[in-house]
Amino acid sequence: MTTLIVNIDNQTSVKAVKAFLESMGLSYSVDTNVSTHAWWEDESLVQELERRS
């Protein structure tokens, strides 16, 4: 089994993603208790990534 984690803030998009997964015949689960770090909002991290690239 492969796990794909997708962070979606927009409820309309959540519905679209679920519909897509169902149309592909894929099984999925939704865990609303998981949160991730918004690394793209971390200015020092973004600057470091830009420096390294």
Side-chain angles (χ1 to χ4, degrees):
M1 181 168 129
T2 301
T3 301
L4 170 66
I5 298 173
V6 179
N7 297 312
I8 305 171
D9 291 330
N10 181 304
Q11 288 301 313
T12 303
S13 297
V14 170
K15 291 178 184 178
V17 169
K18 287 180 179 180
F20 173 73
L21 293 173
E22 290 169 1
S23 74
M24 298 292 290
L26 300 172
S27 62
Y28 64 90
S29 64
V30 176
D31 186 351
T32 58
N33 295 320
V34 176
S35 64
T36 59
H37 174 67
W39 60 268
W40 55 91
E41 294 177 356
D42 184 339
E43 192 171 327
S44 63
L45 177 60
V46 171
Q47 287 176 355
E48 179 63 18
L49 291 171
E50 287 175 353
R51 184 187 71 75
R52 291 182 184 199
S53 65

